[in-house]
């Protein structure tokens, strides 16, 4: 830690709070919003894992969630150690000179500590490529299946689609989504897209978290309120992200030459999380013609793992 403070170029202030967002009132709010984004965004990931994993029973799903919590905690610790290691061994000036956003810090770290020239660097690059390939493949399959089944087969055709037609549509959508991803990667190459990570965590904290807490602890939740919580929270996140400094207004923004930022802080969870809860409460409390969800049945399934 002392070596990291020395290598950063700010030995006397390296561990002082407030350097990233400043010491003003807006900086304090931004720092609090960042904490909310990380804490609440990661808190709902085990529940998401239980939904998408192939756990056959309730106990196995809860066991998978416990493993996920441990893995997320280890990941956070490892990232902290690697960040301080890069500051100590590579130096803040060298990292900034190579990449203003710090994207290459871990590559520079592994290249520095590697005993054989480029060996650890190459191994890490291959690991990143395999991880990215697996993640992108899974996301593409999920997106194509959702569009072909949920949008085309269920919403547009009202279930009047055969299995072969649905599989054919999935293949076409897979090719379309893949081509779109490649085009976006070419266009956005070199842009500052680091904010997408915090944006994804903010969306999870503003949509999944209110939906889970309302479904678990509020008997007045309706189907309309649940849907409005999900869609309304996501819409609030998108609007807040577009009008904050990560998109325009600063040299590190996605569009550095434009300035249409309205919100003064970069992290949006402090606005969008209360908005998600408020939207769900208002639409459930004052919506007409909507019966509450089966709270007792949901509680029984959660506690016992039965359907």
């Amino acid at each position: 830690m002392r070596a990291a403070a020395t290598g950063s170029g700010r030995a006397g202030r390296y561990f002082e709070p407030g350097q990233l967002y400043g010491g003003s009132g807006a900086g304090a709010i931004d720092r609090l919003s960042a904490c909310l984004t990380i804490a609440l965004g990661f808190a709902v990931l085990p529940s998401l894992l239980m939904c998408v994993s192939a756990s056959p029973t309730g106990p196995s799903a809860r066991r998978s969630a416990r493993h996920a919590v441990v893995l997320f905690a280890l990941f956070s610790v490892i990232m902290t150690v690697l960040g301080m290691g890069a500051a100590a061994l590579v130096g803040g000036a060298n990292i900034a000179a190579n990449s203003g956003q710090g994207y290459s810090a871990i590559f520079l770290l592994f290249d520095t500590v590697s005993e054989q020239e480029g060996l650890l660097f190459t191994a890490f690059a291959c690991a990143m490529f395999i991880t990215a390939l697996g993640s992108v493949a899974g996301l593409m399959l999920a997106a194509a299946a959702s569009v072909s089944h949920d949008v085309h087969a269920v919403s547009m055709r009202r279930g009047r689609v055969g299995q072969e037609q649905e599989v054919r549509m999935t293949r076409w959508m897979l090719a379309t989504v893949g081509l779109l991803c490649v085009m976006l990667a070419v266009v956005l190459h070199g842009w500052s897209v680091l904010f997408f990570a915090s944006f994804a965590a903010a969306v999870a904290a503003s949509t999944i978290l209110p939906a889970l807490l309302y479904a678990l602890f509020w008997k007045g939740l309706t189907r309309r309120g649940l849907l409005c919580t999900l869609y309304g929270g996501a819409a609030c996140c998108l609007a807040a992200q577009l009008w904050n400094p990560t998109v325009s207004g600063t040299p590190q923004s996605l569009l550095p030459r434009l300035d249409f930022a309205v919100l003064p802080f970069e992290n949006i969870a402090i606005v969008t999380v209360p908005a998600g809860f408020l939207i769900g409460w208002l639409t459930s409390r004052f919506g007409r013609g909507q019966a509450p969800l089966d709270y007792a049945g949901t509680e029984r399934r959660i506690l016992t793992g039965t359907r």
Side-chain angles (χ1 to χ4, degrees):
M1 294 174 68
R2 287 193 296 268
T6 303
S8 67
R10 299 180 179 180
R13 301 182 56 197
Y14 185 67
F15 294 105
E16 292 182 4
Q19 297 190 56
L20 182 60
Y21 302 111
S24 62
I29 295 176
D30 209 349
R31 188 163 59 251
L32 175 61
S33 184
C35 295
L36 289 176
T37 302
I38 296 173
L40 301 182
F42 274 85
V44 302
L45 290 181
S47 299
L48 292 177
L49 178 64
M50 292 174 63
C51 294
V52 301
S53 65
S55 300
T57 62
S60 62
R62 289 189 286 271
R63 186 166 55 251
S64 299
R66 288 196 297 269
H67 294 165
V69 170
V70 175
L71 291 177
F72 294 149
L74 289 177
F75 173 78
S76 301
V77 173
I78 289 173
M79 292 304 297
T80 302
V81 172
L82 290 177
M84 289 190 175
L89 299 178
V90 180
N94 294 331
I95 295 175
N98 188 274
S99 174
Q101 300 294 327
Y103 295 152
S104 59
I106 297 182
F107 287 102
L108 295 174
L109 173 63
F110 285 167
D111 194 33
T112 301
V113 302
S114 179
E115 296 180 358
Q116 299 183 10
E117 185 67 27
L119 178 61
L120 194 56
F121 179 92
T122 304
F124 180 72
C126 293
M128 284 196 65
F129 174 77
I130 295 174
T131 303
L133 182 63
S135 302
V136 171
L139 291 174
M140 288 174 56
L141 287 173
S146 297
V147 173
S148 62
H149 178 74
D150 299 336
V151 177
H152 179 259
V154 177
S155 299
M156 299 178 60
R157 302 294 296 273
R158 302 296 181 183
R160 298 187 299 270
V161 178
Q163 184 175 3
E164 295 182 358
Q165 293 178 335
E166 188 172 341
V167 172
R168 190 182 304 114
M169 176 59 68
T170 303
R171 292 173 178 171
W172 279 106
M173 288 307 306
L174 187 61
T176 303
V177 172
L179 180 61
L180 180 62
C181 291
V182 172
M183 293 175 60
L184 288 176
V186 172
V187 172
L188 299 179
H189 178 68
W191 288 26
S192 176
V193 295
L194 188 63
F195 73 92
F196 280 127
S198 62
F199 174 70
V203 170
S206 306
T207 57
I208 308 299
L209 180 66
L212 284 175
L213 292 181
Y214 279 150
L216 290 174
F217 302 110
W218 187 33
K219 298 181 180 180
L221 180 66
T222 63
R223 183 178 183 273
R224 179 181 299 171
L226 179 62
L227 294 177
C228 290
T229 298
L230 297 174
Y231 294 126
C236 289
C237 289
L238 182 60
Q241 193 72 53
L242 288 176
W243 299 100
N244 79 347
T246 60
V247 176
S248 66
T250 65
Q252 294 79 28
S253 301
L254 181 65
L255 304 173
R257 297 182 180 180
L258 302 178
D259 187 4
F260 49 84
V262 176
L263 296 177
F265 36 84
E266 299 179 2
N267 300 281
I268 60 175
I270 198 168
V271 174
T272 58
V273 171
F277 279 99
L278 182 61
I279 291 173
W281 181 80
L282 288 176
T283 52
S284 297
R285 181 68 176 81
F286 299 102
R288 297 180 179 179
Q290 288 287 321
L293 296 177
D294 185 11
Y295 178 84
T298 302
E299 184 180 26
R300 182 179 63 254
R301 288 191 296 271
I302 292 173
L303 295 177
T304 62
T306 59
R307 295 185 180 275

Short mmCIF file of all heavy atoms in Angstrom, two decimals, residues 26 30 35 46 60 70 76 79 85 97-98 125 136 155 181 202 207 210 212 227 235 252 275 287 291 294 302 307:
data_model
loop_
_atom_site.label_atom_id
_atom_site.label_comp_id
_atom_site.label_asym_id
_atom_site.label_seq_id
_atom_site.Cartn_x
_atom_site.Cartn_y
_atom_site.Cartn_z
N ALA A 26 -21.68 18.39 -4.34
CA ALA A 26 -22.02 17.51 -5.47
C ALA A 26 -21.09 16.30 -5.51
O ALA A 26 -21.52 15.18 -5.84
CB ALA A 26 -21.94 18.28 -6.78
N ASP A 30 -22.13 12.43 -5.34
CA ASP A 30 -21.67 11.50 -6.36
C ASP A 30 -20.97 10.30 -5.73
O ASP A 30 -21.14 9.15 -6.18
CB ASP A 30 -20.71 12.22 -7.30
CG ASP A 30 -20.72 11.65 -8.71
OD1 ASP A 30 -21.31 10.57 -8.90
OD2 ASP A 30 -20.18 12.28 -9.62
N CYS A 35 -21.34 4.46 -4.15
CA CYS A 35 -21.46 3.38 -3.16
C CYS A 35 -22.79 2.64 -3.31
O CYS A 35 -22.85 1.41 -3.22
CB CYS A 35 -21.31 3.95 -1.76
SG CYS A 35 -19.68 4.64 -1.39
N PRO A 46 -26.96 -12.31 -7.16
CA PRO A 46 -27.30 -13.71 -6.83
C PRO A 46 -28.73 -14.08 -7.18
O PRO A 46 -28.99 -15.20 -7.62
CB PRO A 46 -27.05 -13.76 -5.31
CG PRO A 46 -26.05 -12.70 -5.06
CD PRO A 46 -26.38 -11.60 -6.01
N SER A 60 -30.66 -26.17 -4.23
CA SER A 60 -29.51 -26.02 -5.12
C SER A 60 -29.40 -24.60 -5.65
O SER A 60 -28.29 -24.08 -5.84
CB SER A 60 -29.61 -27.01 -6.28
OG SER A 60 -30.76 -26.75 -7.06
N VAL A 70 -19.77 -15.34 -2.70
CA VAL A 70 -18.34 -15.51 -2.41
C VAL A 70 -17.50 -15.09 -3.60
O VAL A 70 -16.48 -14.39 -3.46
CB VAL A 70 -18.05 -16.97 -2.00
CG1 VAL A 70 -16.55 -17.19 -1.82
CG2 VAL A 70 -18.79 -17.32 -0.72
N SER A 76 -14.06 -8.53 -6.14
CA SER A 76 -13.85 -7.16 -5.70
C SER A 76 -12.50 -7.00 -5.00
O SER A 76 -11.78 -6.02 -5.23
CB SER A 76 -14.98 -6.74 -4.75
OG SER A 76 -16.24 -6.83 -5.39
N MET A 79 -9.66 -7.15 -7.66
CA MET A 79 -9.55 -5.92 -8.43
C MET A 79 -8.87 -4.82 -7.63
O MET A 79 -8.08 -4.03 -8.16
CB MET A 79 -10.94 -5.46 -8.88
CG MET A 79 -11.60 -6.36 -9.89
SD MET A 79 -10.60 -6.60 -11.37
CE MET A 79 -10.52 -4.94 -12.01
N GLY A 85 -1.49 -2.80 -7.08
CA GLY A 85 -0.26 -3.34 -7.65
C GLY A 85 0.18 -2.59 -8.89
O GLY A 85 1.38 -2.34 -9.10
N ALA A 97 -0.09 7.87 -19.28
CA ALA A 97 0.52 8.11 -20.58
C ALA A 97 0.10 7.06 -21.61
O ALA A 97 -0.04 7.36 -22.79
CB ALA A 97 2.04 8.14 -20.45
N ASN A 98 -0.11 5.82 -21.16
CA ASN A 98 -0.50 4.76 -22.07
C ASN A 98 -1.98 4.79 -22.39
O ASN A 98 -2.39 4.53 -23.52
CB ASN A 98 -0.11 3.40 -21.47
CG ASN A 98 -0.31 2.26 -22.45
OD1 ASN A 98 -1.38 1.69 -22.58
ND2 ASN A 98 0.78 1.93 -23.16
N ALA A 125 -4.15 -11.76 -21.88
CA ALA A 125 -4.90 -11.34 -23.07
C ALA A 125 -5.76 -12.48 -23.60
O ALA A 125 -6.93 -12.28 -23.99
CB ALA A 125 -3.95 -10.83 -24.14
N VAL A 136 -20.11 -12.69 -24.65
CA VAL A 136 -20.83 -12.16 -25.82
C VAL A 136 -21.70 -13.25 -26.45
O VAL A 136 -22.83 -12.99 -26.87
CB VAL A 136 -19.82 -11.59 -26.83
CG1 VAL A 136 -20.52 -11.23 -28.14
CG2 VAL A 136 -19.15 -10.36 -26.26
N SER A 155 -45.83 -12.09 -28.45
CA SER A 155 -46.50 -10.78 -28.52
C SER A 155 -47.09 -10.51 -29.89
O SER A 155 -48.25 -10.08 -30.01
CB SER A 155 -45.49 -9.67 -28.16
OG SER A 155 -45.04 -9.84 -26.84
N CYS A 181 -23.71 -6.00 -33.10
CA CYS A 181 -22.64 -5.90 -32.11
C CYS A 181 -21.30 -5.57 -32.77
O CYS A 181 -20.52 -4.75 -32.26
CB CYS A 181 -22.54 -7.21 -31.32
SG CYS A 181 -23.92 -7.53 -30.22
N ALA A 202 -26.48 0.20 -12.00
CA ALA A 202 -27.57 1.10 -11.61
C ALA A 202 -28.92 0.59 -12.10
O ALA A 202 -29.93 0.72 -11.40
CB ALA A 202 -27.30 2.50 -12.16
N THR A 207 -34.24 -1.50 -10.80
CA THR A 207 -35.36 -2.29 -11.33
C THR A 207 -35.54 -3.60 -10.56
O THR A 207 -36.61 -3.86 -10.02
CB THR A 207 -35.13 -2.60 -12.82
OG1 THR A 207 -33.88 -3.29 -12.98
CG2 THR A 207 -35.10 -1.32 -13.64
N PRO A 210 -36.10 -3.05 -6.41
CA PRO A 210 -37.47 -2.72 -5.98
C PRO A 210 -38.47 -3.83 -6.24
O PRO A 210 -39.35 -4.09 -5.40
CB PRO A 210 -37.80 -1.47 -6.80
CG PRO A 210 -36.49 -0.89 -7.16
CD PRO A 210 -35.57 -2.05 -7.35
N LEU A 212 -37.89 -7.08 -6.31
CA LEU A 212 -37.68 -8.16 -5.35
C LEU A 212 -38.23 -7.78 -3.97
O LEU A 212 -38.95 -8.58 -3.33
CB LEU A 212 -36.19 -8.48 -5.25
CG LEU A 212 -35.57 -9.30 -6.38
CD1 LEU A 212 -34.07 -9.42 -6.17
CD2 LEU A 212 -36.20 -10.67 -6.47
N LEU A 227 -44.62 -4.46 -13.34
CA LEU A 227 -44.12 -4.14 -14.67
C LEU A 227 -43.65 -2.68 -14.75
O LEU A 227 -42.61 -2.40 -15.37
CB LEU A 227 -45.22 -4.39 -15.71
CG LEU A 227 -45.64 -5.85 -15.90
CD1 LEU A 227 -46.78 -5.96 -16.89
CD2 LEU A 227 -44.45 -6.68 -16.35
N ALA A 235 -36.24 3.04 -17.68
CA ALA A 235 -36.36 4.29 -18.42
C ALA A 235 -35.72 5.45 -17.65
O ALA A 235 -35.05 6.30 -18.25
CB ALA A 235 -37.84 4.59 -18.69
N GLN A 252 -13.33 13.32 -20.50
CA GLN A 252 -13.44 11.87 -20.33
C GLN A 252 -14.80 11.33 -20.72
O GLN A 252 -15.06 10.14 -20.57
CB GLN A 252 -13.13 11.48 -18.88
CG GLN A 252 -11.71 11.75 -18.44
CD GLN A 252 -11.46 13.20 -18.10
OE1 GLN A 252 -12.38 13.92 -17.71
NE2 GLN A 252 -10.22 13.65 -18.23
N ALA A 275 -36.50 6.45 -7.52
CA ALA A 275 -37.52 6.55 -8.57
C ALA A 275 -38.15 5.20 -8.86
O ALA A 275 -39.37 5.10 -9.07
CB ALA A 275 -36.90 7.14 -9.83
N GLY A 287 -53.34 2.42 -9.03
CA GLY A 287 -53.82 1.80 -10.25
C GLY A 287 -55.20 1.18 -10.04
O GLY A 287 -55.52 0.65 -8.97
N ALA A 291 -55.74 -6.52 -9.30
CA ALA A 291 -55.72 -7.25 -8.04
C ALA A 291 -54.27 -7.45 -7.59
O ALA A 291 -53.36 -7.56 -8.42
CB ALA A 291 -56.40 -8.61 -8.21
N ASP A 294 -50.19 -12.80 -5.91
CA ASP A 294 -50.33 -13.88 -4.94
C ASP A 294 -49.15 -13.84 -3.98
O ASP A 294 -48.16 -14.55 -4.16
CB ASP A 294 -50.41 -15.22 -5.67
CG ASP A 294 -50.69 -16.38 -4.72
OD1 ASP A 294 -51.03 -16.12 -3.55
OD2 ASP A 294 -50.58 -17.53 -5.15
N ILE A 302 -40.80 -19.30 -2.16
CA ILE A 302 -39.45 -18.86 -1.81
C ILE A 302 -38.90 -19.62 -0.61
O ILE A 302 -37.74 -20.04 -0.59
CB ILE A 302 -39.47 -17.34 -1.53
CG1 ILE A 302 -39.75 -16.57 -2.82
CG2 ILE A 302 -38.15 -16.88 -0.92
CD1 ILE A 302 -39.93 -15.10 -2.62
N ARG A 307 -43.02 -25.36 -6.30
CA ARG A 307 -43.67 -24.57 -7.35
C ARG A 307 -45.12 -24.30 -6.96
O ARG A 307 -45.74 -25.04 -6.29
CB ARG A 307 -43.60 -25.30 -8.69
CG ARG A 307 -42.16 -25.45 -9.19
CD ARG A 307 -42.16 -26.08 -10.58
NE ARG A 307 -40.81 -26.22 -11.08
CZ ARG A 307 -40.13 -25.26 -11.71
NH1 ARG A 307 -40.72 -24.09 -11.93
NH2 ARG A 307 -38.92 -25.46 -12.13
#
